[in-house]
Amino acid sequence: QVLLVESGGDSVQAGGSLRLSCAASGFSVSEISMAWFRLPPGKHREGLAISDSSGTTTYAESVKGRFTISKDTATNTLFLQMNSLEPGDTASYRCAAFLREGGSWSRGDFIYWGRGTQVTVSS
């Protein structure tokens, strides 16, 4: 059974950092494409970053240079390191796994999703 559980969300001041975790079970994170998304209040879901099965990473322009996606095979966990946080980064953050064949990662064409963790950035 595939399960994704996010953690690490918190309330921080602008300019601060957070590291989000997505603990995976039922599969090996190194073998599967996984991504991070966020849903800001009153806005559409946004794809932030993907780490595919070869280790290649891709980022949305809005977070490039500030956020880093990574995988830890020892703990079977996906991470999102977020630096230089801004109030506009306030959102519920979710991880996703198993990109559908022919699907678009940025559109969220994933089979499995976590429930999310809340990040609030104050000015």
Side-chain angles (χ1 to χ4, degrees), residues 8-54:
D10 204 347
S11 296
V12 297
Q13 298 249 324
S17 298
L18 282 174
R19 188 177 78 157
L20 304 184
S21 300
C22 172
S25 57
F27 68 98
S28 173
V29 298
S30 64
E31 299 176 357
I32 299 297
S33 292
M34 298 183 71
W36 284 99
F37 292 81
R38 68 184 178 189
L39 182 62
K43 297 184 180 180
H44 295 295
R45 183 181 63 198
E46 178 185 14
L48 303 176
I50 182 173
S51 176
D52 69 18
S53 57
S54 69

Side-chain angles (χ1 to χ4, degrees), residues 18-100:
L18 282 174
R19 188 177 78 157
L20 304 184
S21 300
C22 172
S25 57
F27 68 98
S28 173
V29 298
S30 64
E31 299 176 357
I32 299 297
S33 292
M34 298 183 71
W36 284 99
F37 292 81
R38 68 184 178 189
L39 182 62
K43 297 184 180 180
H44 295 295
R45 183 181 63 198
E46 178 185 14
L48 303 176
I50 182 173
S51 176
D52 69 18
S53 57
S54 69
T56 300
T57 58
T58 304
Y59 295 89
E61 285 298 320
S62 60
V63 302
K64 195 176 293 184
R66 297 192 300 127
F67 291 8
T68 302
I69 189 171
S70 62
K71 294 176 178 175
D72 179 32
T73 56
T75 59
N76 212 39
T77 302
L78 178 74
F79 295 104
L80 185 68
Q81 177 67 43
M82 307 188 296
N83 299 327
S84 302
L85 285 164
E86 306 164 351
D89 295 317
T90 294
S92 175
Y93 285 71
R94 300 175 73 185
C95 62
F98 289 85
L99 183 64
R100 297 182 189 275

